[in-house]
Amino acid sequence: MNLEYQAMRAFADSWGLVAMALFFIAVLVFVVRPGARRSADDAAAIPFKED
């Protein structure tokens, strides 16, 4: 049981950090992509639109 935990911990320490860093970079690229401002402004205005 302990060996299994340590193997999963080592995997999370190494590849988990890489996965989180890649996810963070992907979110940043998504936010600053061309056209993101218009879609963000549209989403921000949803509560103020009347049906």
Side-chain angles (χ1 to χ4, degrees), residues 1-36:
M1 179 90 172
N2 192 16
L3 180 62
E4 187 176 312
Y5 169 77
Q6 289 190 0
M8 288 175 28
R9 173 73 188 256
F11 179 78
D13 283 345
S14 59
W15 291 106
L17 178 62
V18 172
M20 286 188 289
L22 289 175
F23 178 76
F24 180 74
I25 291 169
V27 168
L28 285 180
V29 169
F30 181 76
V31 168
V32 298
R33 77 189 191 287

